[in-house]
Amino acid sequence: MTSTTTTAGDDHAVARRLADSAGEVLLGLRAARTDLEGAELKDAGDRASQEHLAAALADVRPDDAVLSEEAKDVGDRASATRVWIIDPLDGTREFSERPREDWAVHVALWQDGDLVAGAVARPAMGATLATDAPPALPERPGGPGAPVRLAVSRSRPPAFVTALAERLGAELVPMGSAGVKAMSILDGAADAYVHAGGQYEWDSAAPVVVARAAGLHTSRIDGSPLTYNREDPLLPDLLICRPELADFLLDAIADTHATA
């Protein structure tokens, strides 16, 4: 079992260490508990990763508040200057479907009004992207005129994104968790991730701060800023994309809404 003790360090490194160590917990659970399937494995993964991250944050950042998908708030977020926004297991469905790899752990830090550090671990892929070492944006296959590739949910593709793809003549690239879809742009597997239809701050905080550090565009689908640590954590839509496609996609999204 991975220790919950985390050595103090800068926030970027802490985010990476926490995401990686939670990923190790999840990989160990998935390998050891072959008796669990479906909802039981989902619940066990959520619980194990949440307990690990909660203990690690209490150890290394005891004065910070925490907003998690899987637990009640820690600390008074309304007056806090530092809040960790975490999703212990993003893509629980994919986690429960061995040997799928498209699930993730999200760890982000909000400080004084904006996201400042974070990490998205994809444990089954053996890959973590974080703000301590932002990846370089790869060249776009096919060049500027190539069809746009939109990362989209493999199980519940939003009708809005399907309509947007038809308008653009875009290619849909199905995959699992929100973090995996967002990071696929930095892998070079997609050009944009557009979501409309319901998400919470923990779904996007870590992918957004990592994407920003790597130079990607991030916003709501109307182009307004994504803001975090609000009283209501619902943050239902977002656009993460290569920067050269931002205006093109925002115009297409507006046109799609106008004709819906």
Side-chain angles (χ1 to χ4, degrees):
M1 178 65 70
T2 302
S3 170
T4 57
T5 300
T6 304
T7 305
D10 72 80
D11 291 322
H12 302 284
V14 167
R16 179 185 287 273
R17 281 203 301 274
L18 293 179
D20 279 344
S21 60
E24 292 174 13
V25 169
L26 287 164
L27 287 173
L29 172 70
R30 206 187 195 200
R33 295 302 306 270
T34 55
D35 57 315
L36 299 181
E37 299 289 344
E40 288 185 328
L41 184 55
K42 294 177 185 179
D43 292 344
D46 279 332
R47 185 167 56 250
S49 187
Q50 169 62 34
E51 290 174 353
H52 174 82
L53 288 172
L57 282 168
D59 177 24
V60 73
R61 294 292 188 264
D63 297 327
D64 293 351
V66 181
L67 171 63
S68 171
E69 180 180 17
E70 300 300 332
K72 293 182 179 178
D73 290 2
V74 174
D76 182 359
R77 292 197 293 115
S79 60
T81 58
R82 290 167 53 89
V83 180
W84 292 89
I85 302 174
I86 62 174
D87 187 346
L89 177 51
D90 178 57
T92 51
R93 176 172 179 165
E94 285 72 27
F95 175 77
S96 73
E97 296 178 2
R98 302 182 180 92
R100 290 198 69 91
E101 297 180 335
D102 46 350
W103 48 276
V105 177
H106 295 177
V107 177
L109 175 63
W110 175 97
Q111 180 173 319
D112 296 325
D114 206 355
L115 301 172
V116 295
V120 177
R122 295 168 292 176
M125 299 179 183
T128 297
L129 298 181
T131 52
D132 62 345
L137 184 60
E139 294 290 329
R140 189 173 173 222
V148 174
R149 300 165 298 164
L150 298 176
V152 65
S153 171
R154 72 181 183 94
S155 57
R156 300 181 299 277
F160 166 75
V161 178
T162 302
L164 176 66
E166 291 174 354
R167 176 177 292 275
L168 294 171
E171 173 188 353
L172 294 178
V173 186
M175 59 188 78
S177 82
V180 168
K181 289 193 279 286
M183 296 301 96
S184 71
I185 304 167
L186 296 173
D187 293 336
D191 302 310
Y193 171 36
V194 184
H195 184 86
Q199 281 188 344
Y200 291 85
E201 293 186 12
W202 45 75
D203 293 309
S204 65
V208 162
V209 73
V210 172
R212 288 177 183 170
L216 297 182
H217 167 90
T218 68
S219 72
R220 301 284 301 271
I221 60 172
D222 63 359
S224 61
L226 292 153
T227 58
Y228 291 86
N229 193 36
R230 296 161 307 148
E231 181 177 357
D232 180 356
L234 179 66
L235 189 53
D237 60 77
L238 85 166
L239 168 64
I240 302 176
C241 68
R242 298 179 66 92
E244 70 271 23
L245 295 175
D247 289 343
F248 172 68
L249 288 172
L250 287 169
D251 288 345
I253 290 168
D255 290 344
T256 303
H257 269 306
T259 57

